Amino acid sequence: MRITCPFCGERELGEFTYLGDAKPQRPAADAGEDAVYNYVYLRDNIAGVMSEHWYHGGGCRAWLKVTRNTLTHEISAVEAAAGAGAAKVGA
Amino acid sequence: MAGDQANRLTSGGLIDRSTALSFRFDGKNFLGFKGDTLASALVANGVKLVGRSFKYHRPRGILTAGSEEPNALVELRSGARREPNTKATTAELYEGLEAASQNRWPSLNFDVMSVNQLFSPIFVAGFYYKTFMWPAKFWEAIYEPAIRRAAGLGRAAGVSDPDHYDKAWAHCDVVIAGSGPAGLAAALAAGRSGARVILCEEDFVVGGRLLADGGAIDGLPAAEWVARAVAELAAMPDVRIMTRTSLFGVYDGGTYGAIERVNDHLPVPPEHQVRQRLWRIVAKRCVVAAGAIERPVVFAGNDTPGVMMASAMRSYINRYAATPARRIALFTNNEDGWRTAETAIAAGLQVAAVIDARPDVSPAHRSLASKGGFPVLHGSVSGVDGGKGGVRKISVSLTGGARAEVEADGLAVSGGWNPAVGLTSYHRGRPKWRDDIAAFVPDGAPPGMVAAGAANGAFGLGACLREGFEAGAAAARDVGRSGNIGSMPVADDEAFSITPLWHVAGKGKAFVDQQHDVTASDVELAQREGFQSVEHLKRYTTLGMATDQGKTSNVAGLAIMAAVSGKSIPETGTTIYRPPYVPVAIGAFAGHHRDENFHATRLTPSHHWAAEQGAVFVDTGLWKRAQWYPRAGEKDWLESVTREVKAVRNGVGFCDVSTLGKIDVHGPDAGAFLDRVYINAFSSLAVGKARYGLMLREDGIVYDDGTTSRLAEDHYFLTTTTAKAGLVMQHLEFCRQVLFPELDVQLTSVSDQWAQFSIAGPKTRDLLKEVVDPAEDLSNEGFPFMGAREVQLCGGLKARLFRISFSGEMAFEISVPARYGEAMARNLMIAGKPFGVTPYGTEALGVMRIEKGHVAGPELNGTTTAGDLGLGKMMSTKKDFIGRVMAGREALVAPNRQVVVGIKPTDKARRLRSGAHIIPKGETPGPENDQGYVTSVCFSPMLDQWIGLGLVERGRERIGEIVRAHDPLRSEDYDVELCNSVFYDPDGGRQRG
C-alpha cells in the first residue's frame, strides 16, 4: 500500500503507523463518563470507506487523515491533521 | 548411455556447443552445454528417471520445461548451499553443478519405500486423518516422524546459509511480466512512447515460447525478431530488461514483488555479490504477459518417465537440441499439440502415432501423417506400459470402443493450455471460463493491471503480438507518455481448436497432481465423502498444495470434480489464487536482516569507552546498555553490582542514561500542552526547575513517566522511558496535531542529540566542580534539588544540568551534545579519580531504584493506574488531561486493587524471585487466593538482603503482614513481609543534601 503524504509525497506503507477510526472526536472536559467511554471504546468497523488516522513516523511525523476503502485498500483522500506542520488552528 | 550426450542433436538449439559443462547427478558425471538447464542436460544424456514421488515413491521423470514442473525436483549443490526441491527444469547448468534426486533410499534405481505402491489402496485421500487417529499421543511421537521420513521432499542444508540476499526497490511506469511475443510487443510499444519500463523474465533468455516454437514475425524468423526487439529495447535508456526475475505477487497501490536469481547460475556468487535479490517494484501499470501452461490429460500411467508435455518436448528438441525420445507418440485434444509431431519429424525423430481425441483432424495434419508414415488414431490414451526405464507401450481406446497399442519410448501429451491467471487473480479475482479454448481466463485484474496474449487466452502468435502491443501502448498512454509507438509487429494467427478432455478411464493409477501423488480416484473419493467444494477438495486431497502450487493439476482436478458431481466447470469454480507465483526463499525476504543485522543496533554515546572498561552489555530494545563493569577477582555479577551500588551510596558513580527518550517542547502553549498530557501540572513549574510527570492513556491506565524540566518560559525538556521513547513521541504528536491543534506548541525529538549521564552519590558535587566551569554555583542554594538549567563546562561547552535523582542519592543528570558523550565519560573518570568515581551499569541502577521504591517497567505494565503505583495524589483535579475521566471508573478506583508495595522474605538469607505469587497465610495457593505477584527484585547491598516490589491487593493497608510467596514455576514457597516500598532513606534526606 502507498500513501501520499501531503508533506512528503507518495510513500510506502512501511513509513506509516496505523491508529484507527478518525471519526470519534475527543469530548469536552465536562462531557461526562459516557461520552468519554464512547470515544475511547466504541468504533465503527466499516467494510467500505473509512476515515482513518495514520502517522508518518518514518517521514515528517505528521498525523494524517486517510480515507481508505477497507475492502479494496483504495485510498481516495489524504489530508494532514489540523495541527500538523507549523499551522495553528485559529492562529 | 549416460555421460555421452547421446540424445543431443548435432545442430540447432540455443546452446553453446563450444562451452561444455561437466556436472554430477546422483554421483555420476555428465556433460552438458552452456545454455542448458539441468533438465535439458539430463534429457541430452538420456536420463529419464530423476526422482521418486512424494507418497508412493513411484519413479518419475521430467514432465515440463519450466517453473510449473511437479516431478523433476532435486537437491541442488551440497553442504551449506544445498537447496532441496529445486526444479531441474529451471536450474541453469554451470560447470561443476552437483544435484541429487530426492525421496529415495538407498538409491533412485532401487528405492525401498517404493513398496508403498503395493499398499497404495490404503494411501487414499484423507489417509492420515482416517488412519492415525488414535491414540492421540502416538501422533507426535510415532506417526508424524515416521510419515515425515517416508514421505517428503529434499533435505534442507541444516546449517546457516553462507550467501547473502538483498532487497531493493524499483519504480517505473509499466512493469511487464514475461518476455514472450506479448511481453516484448508490450515493452516495444511502451518503451517507444517514452515510458519507463521494467520487463521481467523468469528464464535466463528472453523470448518465452518463441524460443521453442519459433514462427515468423514481421517476415523474420522469430529468433531474429527477438534479437532485434531486445537490441531496440536495450538502446532505450528507460527500459530495463531483467532476466532470471519472476514477478511473483501484486500488492496494494501498484507494488509488485519480484525475485531476481542474480547468481543462482553460478556455483558460488562472486565475492561481494548476492545470490538473490527481492525486488519491490512500484509501477503505475502492469502488463501480465506470463503466457499459458500446457496441461496434462489424466490417464493411467501418465506419470511414467518418458511421458512429457508436448510443448516441453518441443522445448527440449528445438531450444536445447536434446531429444527426450527416439520414437514419439503424441496424445492431443487440440490443434497446438500437433506442433510436436512437426518438430519431431523436422528433428529426424520417429513419430509412432498421433492419438487425437478430437473428432476431426485437419487435412494438413493428415498429409503430415502420411508423409511421416505414422497413423492418426482417433481416441485417447488409456494406459502406459513402462516403468523406471521409461515408456515402452501405450494403450489406446479408440473412438467407437476398439483398442490399439502403440510402441514408443516417449509420449507427448497436450490437454490444452491454461492461461497463467495467477497474477491477475491475487486480489481475490476469480477467472472466468471460456468454452472456445476450454480454459479459465482473467476476469478483470487488480487496479492498473491487464493481461495480454496467452495469459489472456489469446493463443495465436499474431494475437499475442497484437494484444501485447496494444496493452503496452495503452499503459504508456495512461501514464501520459505519448511518443511515437511505431508499427505493431505482425504474425499469422494459428488456428486453435480443442475438444476438452480431462480424464481417460483405465486400469491403474491416473495422476492429477504428480507432486503430491493425488490421483483421479482420490478426487472421486473426495466427492463421495462430501468434499465437493474445490476448497475442500484441495485441502482433503492436498491437490495443488505442493511447491508447484498445482500449475499443471488444479484445473484438471476441478474438471474431474465437476464431472463426478454433475456440475459444469464454471459452476465448480477455482480455488483462491495466492502469491507467490514461484517459491521464494525465506532468505530473500529477510535480505540482510539476519544474525546481528536482524535489527538495527543502537549504541550509547559512551559505548566504546564502556567496552574498553570491559562492561557487560545487555540488549534493551535496540540498545546495547552497559549492565555492569566487572573487575578482576569478582566472582559473579552480583559481586560487581553490589560493589557499584556501594560505591555510589558511599562516594560517587556515574551511568550513561542517554537511552531515555528526550523531547524538546517549544512554544507559548508548551505549558498548557504538558498540562493536558501529564496528570500533574507543568504550566505552574518555575523556569529552572524539573518535575516528575506521569502520563496516562486515554483509558486511564499509566502510559509513561519521566522528568520534565522548564528551561525557559516557552521551552520544556521532556524525558521518557527508554522503552517508550518512540511511542511517546508519536502519542504527543497525536495530542498536538489531532487533539489540541489550537495550541501553539512544537515538539522536537532530541533523543539522539544529547548524551546524558547520571552522576550520583554524596561526592557528586566534588566531582562536578571539576567538570563544570568555575562560575557555576552547585551549592544547595545555587542549585537546589529538582533544579534544572543550562550550564557551561570544560571551558564553555554548553550543557544541561538537572538535579534529579533516581538512585535516591545526592545526584545530577548532565546532558552534553551526543558527540561529546564519550569524551564526557573519559573526563568524568579522570576528574573523579580522587573521589573514587565508579561507573555503574543498568543493574546497579535497578538495584538503587528498587531500594528507593521507584516504579519502572515491571510496574508500569499496561494494567496499573496512578493510584496503583502510589501516585494517585499527583492527579490534578484542576485541569483536564488525557485519561482523567476513564481513570475515575469504578473498577479503576476500587479499594481492593493490587497496588505497589515493598516485599522482603522473613528469612533474611532467602532469595526473593520476581513472578512469585502472593497468597495469604493459611490459604491454598490457587487463582481464588491469588492476591498479586512480585514484580521487581534485587539484592540490596544496603539492607544486606533480597528485597522487591510487588503488586498486591490492598498492599499499602497491609504493611507488616506476613504472606506466602508461592512460586510454582520454581517449586518455591516461603514467607515474606509486606513493607513500605521505600526501603532506603525513606524521608529522602540524602537526595536533598
Side-chain angles (χ1 to χ4, degrees):
Chain A
M1 206 154 81
R2 298 176 70 78
I3 297 174
T4 304
C5 171
F7 298 105
C8 307
E10 188 186 305
R11 289 289 193 272
E12 191 258 334
L13 178 66
E15 294 186 8
F16 299 87
T17 307
Y18 173 78
L19 182 73
D21 192 356
K23 211 171 62 186
Q25 299 291 312
R26 189 169 191 271
D30 57 357
E33 195 175 301
D34 284 353
V36 179
Y37 178 87
N38 289 349
Y39 166 69
V40 171
Y41 290 108
L42 299 190
R43 290 286 180 281
D44 288 335
N45 184 18
I46 300 165
V49 176
M50 272 195 84
S51 170
E52 302 170 329
H53 283 308
W54 287 78
Y55 177 57
H56 195 193
C60 60
R61 293 209 317 264
W63 276 93
L64 309 175
K65 210 161 158 187
V66 175
T67 309
R68 184 177 70 105
N69 186 321
T70 57
L71 292 176
T72 63
H73 297 184
E74 187 199 348
I75 291 170
S76 48
V78 182
E79 54 180 297
K88 283 302 120 205
V89 172
Chain B
M1 222 194 253
D4 55 2
Q5 301 201 58
N7 289 4
R8 185 76 77 178
L9 296 170
T10 49
S11 66
L14 299 172
I15 46 166
D16 175 4
R17 287 182 175 75
S18 65
T19 310
L21 303 171
S22 64
F23 69 101
R24 286 169 77 79
F25 177 67
D26 275 350
K28 272 200 211 127
N29 292 312
F30 296 95
L31 285 177
F33 291 126
K34 191 169 161 57
D36 264 326
T37 60
L38 172 58
S40 70
L42 289 171
V43 168
N45 283 286
V47 177
K48 287 194 169 170
L49 174 64
V50 296
R52 289 276 173 173
S53 75
F54 185 64
K55 197 155 74 171
Y56 303 121
H57 289 247
R58 285 171 67 105
R60 290 283 165 82
I62 297 163
L63 184 69
T64 74
S67 63
E68 69 271 29
E69 176 63 30
N71 283 339
L73 307 181
V74 297
E75 289 176 352
L76 190 65
R77 303 186 168 86
S78 57
R81 290 194 167 86
R82 187 170 70 205
E83 291 163 48
N85 313 329
T86 305
K87 291 160 188 149
T89 49
T90 59
E92 263 178 88
L93 197 66
Y94 55 81
E95 175 59 33
L97 178 146
E98 276 180 85
S101 57
Q102 301 185 160
N103 204 28
R104 83 288 186 273
W105 186 85
S107 75
L108 186 55
N109 222 12
F110 176 72
D111 174 34
V112 166
M113 290 305 288
S114 60
V115 70
N116 274 6
Q117 291 180 65
L118 303 178
F119 300 120
S120 62
I122 63 169
F123 284 149
V124 294
F127 163 70
Y128 300 123
Y129 307 124
K130 290 166 180 163
T131 312
F132 296 109
M133 293 286 286
W134 184 89
K137 67 180 174 192
F138 272 35
W139 181 252
E140 243 177 75
I142 295 167
Y143 298 143
E144 189 180 327
I147 292 165
R148 288 217 182 273
R149 269 197 301 279
L153 299 164
R155 301 160 301 155
V159 290
S160 182
D161 188 335
D163 293 326
H164 292 278
Y165 297 79
D166 197 10
K167 287 196 279 193
W169 286 91
H171 298 254
C172 65
D173 293 326
V174 186
V175 65
I176 299 165
S179 72
L184 281 175
L188 285 172
R192 285 172 188 166
S193 73
R196 298 164 65 209
V197 176
I198 293 177
L199 176 63
C200 296
E201 170 53 56
E202 67 173 352
D203 206 326
F204 51 96
V205 188
V206 168
R209 283 303 302 168
L210 294 174
L211 300 173
D213 286 346
I217 303 173
D218 288 347
L220 298 172
E224 226 168 284
W225 180 82
V226 169
R228 224 175 54 171
V230 168
E232 184 183 344
L233 292 169
M236 296 179 188
D238 284 334
V239 174
R240 178 173 191 171
I241 300 175
M242 296 174 71
T243 53
R244 303 186 174 106
T245 304
S246 307
L247 204 71
F248 65 75
V250 48
Y251 305 91
D252 293 316
T255 305
Y256 299 85
I259 182 72
E260 182 185 10
R261 288 167 288 274
V262 186
N263 281 307
D264 274 1
H265 60 296
L266 300 175
V268 172
E271 209 179 351
H272 307 304
Q273 284 199 31
V274 297
R275 175 173 293 283
Q276 297 180 353
R277 187 174 288 123
L278 183 82
W279 286 93
R280 279 169 287 181
I281 300 172
V282 180
K284 298 188 184 86
R285 292 288 180 273
C286 175
V287 178
V288 175
I293 294 171
E294 196 174 24
R295 66 194 179 211
V297 177
V298 178
F299 54 83
N302 63 338
D303 64 329
T304 310
V307 177
M308 189 181 271
M309 299 314 305
S311 59
M313 216 172 260
R314 296 202 295 277
S315 292
Y316 289 116
I317 295 170
N318 289 335
R319 175 173 171 183
Y320 300 107
T323 56
R326 298 277 162 187
R327 186 177 156 80
I328 295 167
L330 167 69
F331 175 26
T332 184
N333 67 341
N334 65 85
E335 195 69 8
D336 189 69
W338 274 86
R339 295 163 81 161
T340 302
E342 292 162 11
T343 293
I345 291 167
L349 303 171
Q350 250 189 317
V351 175
V354 172
I355 301 111
D356 196 323
R358 294 174 300 168
D360 292 311
V361 171
S362 71
H365 287 147
R366 290 216 170 276
S367 80
L368 179 77
S370 63
K371 258 197 291 185
F374 60 85
V376 178
L377 306 175
H378 289 281
S380 303
V381 171
S382 57
V384 174
D385 181 12
K388 63 192 180 192
V391 173
R392 284 188 297 269
K393 220 186 293 173
I394 293 148
S395 310
V396 180
S397 299
L398 297 169
T399 310
R403 309 192 70 82
E405 284 193 336
V406 176
E407 289 203 14
D409 64 345
L411 173 59
V413 180
S414 180
W417 289 83
N418 291 328
V421 295
L423 281 169
T424 50
S425 305
Y426 285 152
H427 284 191
R428 290 186 86 85
R430 299 284 190 163
K432 66 177 179 221
W433 180 256
R434 249 178 67 186
D435 270 327
D436 60 328
I437 56 169
F440 283 102
V441 296
D443 187 11
M449 183 191 275
V450 66
N456 197 34
F459 291 155
L461 178 54
C464 284
L465 292 166
R466 203 160 48 240
E467 281 202 2
F469 196 77
E470 281 166 6
R477 233 179 7 251
D478 287 352
V479 301
R481 307 289 182 176
S482 53
N484 180 6
I485 58 170
S487 57
M488 175 158 67
V490 180
D492 288 341
D493 276 316
E494 307 87 344
F496 184 81
S497 81
I498 183 167
T499 300
L501 175 66
W502 308 101
H503 178 208
V504 184
K507 281 202 188 103
K509 288 202 169 303
F511 286 88
V512 181
D513 180 336
Q514 298 206 19
Q515 195 178 354
H516 260 174
D517 270 357
V518 179
T519 63
S521 57
D522 286 331
V523 176
E524 289 158 2
L525 180 73
Q527 190 269 337
R528 283 202 302 279
E529 297 190 342
F531 297 96
Q532 292 191 18
S533 137
V534 283
E535 298 287 0
H536 289 159
L537 168 68
K538 168 180 167 175
R539 284 155 184 86
Y540 192 57
T541 63
T542 72
L543 169 73
M545 291 171 73
T547 60
D548 63 347
Q549 292 277 291
K551 288 189 173 62
T552 56
S553 60
N554 281 342
V555 176
L558 72 90
I560 293 170
M561 176 56 85
V564 294
S565 54
K567 286 185 188 163
S568 70
I569 290 171
E571 275 172 337
T572 304
T574 59
T575 52
I576 297 271
Y577 289 83
R578 293 188 179 87
Y581 186 71
V582 291
V584 181
I586 297 289
F589 283 110
H592 293 292
H593 296 272
R594 51 180 280 190
D595 304 323
E596 72 275 15
N597 298 318
F598 180 64
H599 58 62
T601 302
R602 299 179 78 181
L603 304 181
T604 62
S606 67
H607 182 89
H608 299 297
W609 165 83
E612 279 170 28
Q613 303 296 309
V616 171
F617 292 98
V618 60
D619 291 340
T620 53
L622 302 181
W623 291 100
K624 298 255 179 233
R625 298 190 73 182
Q627 200 171 10
W628 64 85
Y629 297 81
R631 281 193 187 164
E634 288 175 345
K635 64 180 187 300
D636 61 6
W637 65 273
L638 187 56
E639 192 176 340
S640 306
V641 172
T642 300
R643 168 185 50 77
E644 289 173 15
V645 171
K646 284 180 173 165
V648 172
R649 297 245 186 258
N650 298 323
V652 61
F654 71 93
C655 178
D656 190 330
V657 294
S658 307
T659 60
L660 296 176
K662 307 178 208 72
I663 301 168
D664 267 345
V665 184
H666 283 275
D669 294 328
F673 175 76
L674 293 176
D675 282 349
R676 297 193 197 181
V677 299
Y678 279 120
I679 64 170
N680 47 334
F682 278 85
S683 53
S684 58
L685 184 67
V687 173
K689 295 291 272 184
R691 182 171 285 170
Y692 174 75
L694 198 65
M695 278 179 206
L696 304 186
R697 311 190 305 218
E698 196 70 275
D699 66 0
I701 298 294
V702 170
Y703 189 50
D704 200 51
D705 70 347
T707 55
T708 288
S709 310
R710 191 168 198 173
L711 299 176
E713 198 58 39
D714 60 353
H715 180 197
Y716 290 79
F717 174 69
L718 181 154
T719 64
T720 76
T721 59
T722 299
K724 290 266 171 61
L727 289 170
V728 168
M729 187 69 196
Q730 176 179 334
H731 168 69
L732 293 183
E733 287 288 12
F734 183 79
C735 295
R736 183 183 79 83
Q737 299 177 33
V738 178
L739 300 183
F740 314 124
E742 70 281 5
L743 296 180
D744 191 356
V745 58
Q746 292 294 330
L747 306 170
T748 312
S749 170
V750 293
S751 296
D752 291 339
Q753 278 63 37
W754 293 99
Q756 193 151 322
F757 295 89
S758 169
I759 305 165
K763 293 180 186 163
T764 295
R765 229 181 245 120
D766 301 328
L767 168 55
L768 266 182
K769 274 182 194 151
E770 303 293 319
V771 176
V772 300
D773 289 352
E776 305 290 349
D777 180 2
L778 297 180
S779 70
N780 226 4
E781 297 70 41
F783 214 127
F785 184 57
M786 298 309 272
R789 67 166 185 256
E790 212 166 72
V791 295
Q792 297 198 353
L793 50 81
C794 303
L797 175 65
K798 278 191 179 171
R800 291 171 178 178
L801 194 60
F802 312 91
R803 194 169 158 199
I804 52 181
S805 178
F806 196 47
S807 59
E809 294 302 322
M810 155 72 206
F812 282 87
E813 284 188 16
I814 190 157
S815 281
V816 295
R819 63 187 181 280
Y820 293 109
E822 186 174 332
M824 186 68 190
R826 294 183 193 283
N827 193 24
L828 287 170
M829 286 299 277
I830 295 163
K833 202 162 185 198
F835 317 108
V837 69
T838 301
Y840 65 96
T842 55
E843 206 63 36
L845 185 87
V847 169
M848 289 188 280
R849 75 103 184 160
I850 295 170
E851 285 184 332
K852 286 296 294 175
H854 291 311
V855 291
E859 291 79 36
L860 274 63
N861 63 6
T863 69
T864 47
T865 65
D868 297 344
L869 303 180
L871 303 170
K873 290 203 179 95
M874 281 172 62
M875 290 170 66
S876 170
T877 53
K878 299 189 188 112
K879 62 176 181 99
D880 190 28
F881 55 85
I882 301 281
R884 177 184 61 93
V885 176
M886 289 292 95
R889 280 180 293 166
E890 195 178 342
L892 295 192
V893 295
N896 63 342
R897 284 188 65 83
Q898 297 180 355
V899 301
V900 169
V901 67
I903 295 171
K904 56 185 178 188
T906 51
D907 174 2
K908 274 194 81 167
R910 177 110 216 168
R911 181 169 180 176
L912 182 63
R913 301 269 197 177
S914 58
H917 285 255
I918 301 301
I919 310 289
K921 286 287 281 178
E923 300 289 353
T924 316
E928 66 283 6
N929 292 319
D930 193 341
Q931 296 190 324
Y933 67 103
V934 182
T935 52
S936 303
V937 299
C938 71
F939 176 77
S940 165
M942 308 320 288
L943 278 70
D944 195 30
Q945 75 164 111
W946 286 84
I947 60 169
L949 301 176
L951 287 163
V952 179
E953 211 173 292
R954 299 177 187 268
R956 282 192 294 272
E957 302 163 27
R958 296 164 64 185
I959 303 297
E961 184 179 330
I962 309 294
V963 293
R964 285 168 72 181
H966 181 71
D967 190 348
L969 204 60
R970 302 183 184 92
S971 303
E972 291 180 346
D973 196 315
Y974 45 94
D975 285 353
V976 294
E977 182 190 333
L978 302 180
C979 57
N980 186 337
S981 61
V982 187
F983 292 88
Y984 182 68
D985 187 29
D987 60 2
R990 297 179 70 88
Q991 62 196 18
R992 292 193 174 77

